[in-house]
Amino acid sequence: MSQSKSGFSLKQQLGRGKQIAGMTTTIAGGLRAAQRIGAFKQPPREKLPRYIQAFCRKMAGSFGVQVVAVERVEQHHGLWVSNHVSWMDIPVVGTLSPAFFLSKAEIGDWPIFGKLAHAAGTVFIERGSGDAGTVAAQIATFLTKGFSVIFFPEATTTDGKKIKRIHGTLLQAAIDADVPVRPLVIAYVNKDGTLSEALPYYGKLTMKQSLKKVLDSKDVTAFVLPLEPIDPKGLSKSELTDLLQAHMQEGLAELHSRVLTKVAKVAKVAKV
């Protein structure tokens, strides 16, 4: 019995090592690509999205997560939003959306990841007094320049079964910039058609525990469903928030009805 446990442990270790090696290779490739296109000096925002999408697809793949669009994700300008289940959401939505990510300014000073974030054209937010309205104004300025932004309006992660209360302060940016809100919903699904319990990162789970769970998971697919965009014209921030809340709740229920089924039906969904 002890040999069996030991053997399983060794298999786990080898699996984790292979995935970490894949992640390291992906990061190294991202740094080389950024150097090649001059992104460390001045991120070329017009052509960056395709590089970011390729990097994010490889990063998700290095953890054994396949990204599948249930319907085509149109590459249009707007304020993109997604439900928030895991830190894996970043490479997942980055694989499909043409938008740039938001980040706290201090992350830009991190070694390696901060450097990559700068090269990827990340929008670094200076919170200062902590006024979310000021953050919305910074996003609106970026949007008016023709560049899309994506964020997670639940402001926290969930178990992936429902949409938590939407925080709509940053949606003011879409109103001010007069651009549509473009929602996505994500579901992490096991090979047997059930929701993954390994991918959600919420509650009292530590990052180390979450990382181990993800590394040990097998055959998880991140299904993504793009929803109809919402035109903010004529809407107040409160009205836009309520509309998005209902839209995302209905969208997640629709996604679950389409992918939480037998493997045979799931296989019919086109891969990215």
Side-chain angles (χ1 to χ4, degrees), residues 73-202:
V73 180
E74 300 294 343
Q75 304 293 287
H76 296 316
H77 180 47
L79 180 62
W80 292 71
V81 299
S82 170
N83 62 319
H84 203 8
V85 182
S86 168
W87 46 268
M88 185 62 70
D89 298 344
I90 294 174
V92 169
V93 297
T95 295
L96 298 169
S97 167
F100 294 96
F101 289 101
L102 296 177
S103 173
K104 296 176 183 178
E106 54 266 31
I107 290 178
D109 296 326
W110 288 11
I112 302 178
F113 286 105
K115 195 172 183 180
L116 273 174
H118 277 288
T122 299
V123 183
F124 291 103
I125 299 300
E126 297 286 351
R127 287 193 177 272
S129 63
D131 180 10
T134 301
V135 176
Q138 292 176 61
I139 296 171
T141 298
F142 193 77
L143 290 168
T144 56
K145 293 178 181 178
F147 303 113
S148 298
V149 173
I150 188 163
F151 77 103
F152 304 101
E154 292 166 291
T156 185
T157 50
T158 72
D159 60 7
K161 297 177 182 177
K162 61 184 180 180
I163 303 294
K164 285 194 134 181
R165 185 171 72 87
I166 295 293
H167 295 268
T169 304
L170 298 187
L171 296 178
Q172 184 65 45
I175 297 172
D176 294 344
D178 192 23
V179 300
V181 176
R182 299 188 177 279
L184 300 169
V185 285
I186 303 170
Y188 294 98
V189 182
N190 297 315
K191 190 175 181 179
D192 64 359
T194 59
L195 273 179
S196 170
E197 295 184 357
L199 269 292
Y201 174 48
Y202 71 106

Side-chain angles (χ1 to χ4, degrees), residues 1-12:
M1 190 70 174
S2 61
Q3 287 182 344
S4 176
K5 286 184 177 180
S6 176
F8 180 71
S9 176
L10 178 60
K11 186 176 179 181
Q12 272 190 319

Side-chain angles (χ1 to χ4, degrees), residues 4 16 57 71 75 82 118 120 139 150 158 211 214 218 237 258:
S4 176
R16 291 175 183 175
R57 184 179 292 108
E71 293 181 5
Q75 304 293 287
S82 170
H118 277 288
I139 296 171
I150 188 163
T158 72
L211 186 59
V214 172
K218 302 294 180 186
K237 182 178 65 179
R258 293 172 70 170

Side-chain angles (χ1 to χ4, degrees), residues 12-25 62 215:
Q12 272 190 319
Q13 294 292 340
L14 290 173
R16 291 175 183 175
K18 184 178 179 181
Q19 289 176 312
I20 291 171
M23 180 182 67
T24 303
T25 299
S62 71
L215 289 173

